[in-house]
Amino acid sequence: MQVVLAKPRGFCAGVNRAISIVHRALERFTPPVYVLHEIVHNTHVLEELRHRGAVFVEELEEIPTGAVTVFSAHGVSRAVAERARNLGLRTIDATCPLVSKVHRRMIRLYDQGYDVLVIGHKGHPEVEGTCGQVDGPVAVVSRASEIDTLQVRDPQRVGYVTQTTLSVDDTEELLKALRRRFPQISEPERTDICYATTNRQAAVRRLADQVDLILIVGSKNSSNSNRLREVAQLRQTPAYLIDDAGEIDPRWFAGVHSVGISAGASAPEHLVTGVIDWLRRQGPVTVMEMEGEEEHISFCVPELDGEPTGLQPGR
Ligand code: 0CH
Ligand code: SF4
């Protein structure tokens, strides 16, 4: 079996930073450290952090007053940040700086009187956090078919922001439809889909042309990991999203001579190694990494040596 590893794959700068913030909070403050929502959408990351004293909750009301509370990489609404303050929580913001950048643009457009559309998956925490940067109602657009029926105050003053982990191809199609309906729409210089999402999808697109089967390592609720699986499937290459090697079904490999492996932005590299080890146990394999984009982006991790000061939403 020939194994080809996608490049780039796995952890992005925002995920590295968010996980490091939880580690640092656990070192600086007495555990438990609470995290509102999964810090990133990966079951293995959560398991490891739980083991060290992190407690993941979905509601602020589950957190005792005064407890150190980290907001996840996906970001939170202003209302959530304010409620946390009112509940006396000591908050630390692990929102990816690229998501915060989207928040700032959302606020700017809204303050300038635009109707802002949020392009993304309804109910996803990042989309909820982005919508919740402004007070007024915000329309979330998930597919092009929703565009015709959108109600706006002034078609000349419409803007949009997007979720950072969308499908590059689907979004381009959706934006074409949006530009047809609102030719004056205010656009960012480039979409808010981040570098990591773009690079990982491009790598899987190329990988899909080289191999018989693709395995994407990532959790089922990870939006960007699901998009990677779809990219492969759109190229007619069978692809499966797996949390780890334990989810591999040997029947997938009938007639397969080459397998590509990638990992979502929230999936640790040791899980990819685990998949390669599983393949080695089935028979001889050669492993190579494809040529691809070198990523040099990293975000600094706050020191956390003072008292957690809380989040100034959208600033
Ligand atoms: O892909 P999603 O947004 O579901 O999140 P993840 O799997 O936790 O990956 C990190 C992205 C965080 C926000 O952009
Ligand atoms: Fe940030 Fe992009 Fe990673 Fe999301 S996927 S955490 S926006 S770098």
Side-chain angles (χ1 to χ4, degrees):
M1 182 75 75
Q2 198 191 8
V3 175
V4 186
L5 303 175
K7 182 180 174 185
R9 63 178 179 279
F11 276 10
C12 61
V15 164
N16 261 320
R17 176 176 180 273
I19 295 172
S20 301
I21 286 176
V22 180
H23 278 290
R24 193 162 282 180
L26 287 164
E27 284 160 17
R28 298 274 204 262
F29 307 103
T30 317
V33 161
Y34 288 81
V35 183
L36 182 66
H37 194 64
E38 300 183 356
I39 186 74
V40 297
H41 293 147
N42 187 272
T43 55
H44 289 271
V45 169
L46 301 188
E47 202 176 309
E48 205 224 313
L49 291 172
R50 267 191 202 109
H51 190 69
R52 290 166 183 258
V55 175
F56 297 93
V57 298
E58 288 304 318
E59 299 297 335
L60 287 172
E61 286 68 20
E62 297 172 58
I63 307 173
T65 308
V68 172
T69 304
V70 180
F71 294 139
S72 82
H74 316 93
V76 294
S77 67
R78 276 153 61 140
V80 165
E82 274 163 34
R83 210 164 72 242
R85 243 196 318 272
N86 293 339
L87 286 167
L89 305 179
R90 296 145 77 204
T91 58
I92 299 169
D93 186 16
T95 306
C96 175
L98 299 181
V99 174
S100 300
K101 187 174 156 204
V102 178
H103 290 181
R104 287 193 296 274
R105 190 156 173 279
M106 173 87 192
I107 293 168
R108 205 164 49 243
L109 285 168
Y110 184 80
D111 286 349
Q112 289 168 353
Y114 285 84
D115 271 17
V116 193
L117 308 173
V118 174
I119 300 168
H121 300 286
K122 294 186 178 91
H124 188 283
E126 181 183 325
V127 170
E128 291 188 345
T130 299
C131 291
Q133 296 306 307
V134 298
D135 294 330
V138 172
V140 178
V141 182
S142 300
R143 42 181 66 88
S145 59
E146 295 165 8
I147 291 172
D148 283 348
T149 52
L150 281 172
Q151 307 277 343
V152 297
R153 288 170 298 175
D154 176 1
Q156 310 292 320
R157 283 189 88 69
V158 177
Y160 71 84
V161 297
T162 79
Q163 192 176 338
T164 56
T165 51
L166 295 180
S167 153
V168 172
D169 294 336
D170 291 354
T171 305
E172 203 35 62
E173 284 309 303
L174 193 150
L175 290 180
K176 279 185 197 159
L178 208 51
R179 288 176 197 127
R180 275 196 297 274
R181 167 105 200 260
F182 304 112
Q184 311 292 325
I185 195 158
S186 168
E187 304 214 36
E189 266 172 44
R190 36 193 299 186
T191 72
D192 302 308
I193 299 174
C194 76
Y195 82 93
T197 301
T198 307
N199 291 346
R200 279 151 193 69
Q201 286 178 19
V204 169
R205 207 172 291 123
R206 284 183 289 119
L207 189 61
D209 294 337
Q210 297 174 31
V211 296
D212 301 325
L213 171 82
I214 289 189
L215 300 176
I216 305 292
V217 181
S219 289
K220 306 292 180 279
N221 61 343
S222 165
S223 180
N224 78 88
S225 305
N226 277 288
R227 302 294 82 79
L228 295 180
R229 175 181 47 80
E230 287 170 6
V231 165
Q233 288 173 336
L234 273 170
R235 310 290 283 198
Q236 314 302 330
T237 305
Y240 298 95
L241 176 62
I242 53 171
D243 242 310
D244 53 46
E247 291 187 358
I248 300 175
D249 184 340
R251 287 174 297 187
W252 296 340
F253 295 88
V256 166
H257 303 292
S258 55
V259 54
I261 307 177
S262 185
S266 46
E269 180 65 12
H270 71 85
L271 301 174
V272 171
T273 309
V275 171
I276 299 169
D277 291 344
W278 185 94
L279 290 166
R280 285 194 207 284
R281 288 197 293 276
Q282 317 307 306
V285 297
T286 57
V287 182
M288 59 168 281
E289 185 177 66
M290 67 191 279
E291 291 196 0
E293 189 87 18
E294 292 284 348
E295 293 180 337
H296 301 288
I297 296 181
S298 65
F299 297 128
C300 64
V301 179
E303 287 299 332
L304 305 183
D305 43 11
E307 259 302 291
T309 50
L311 168 72
Q312 294 299 311
R315 307 290 164 215

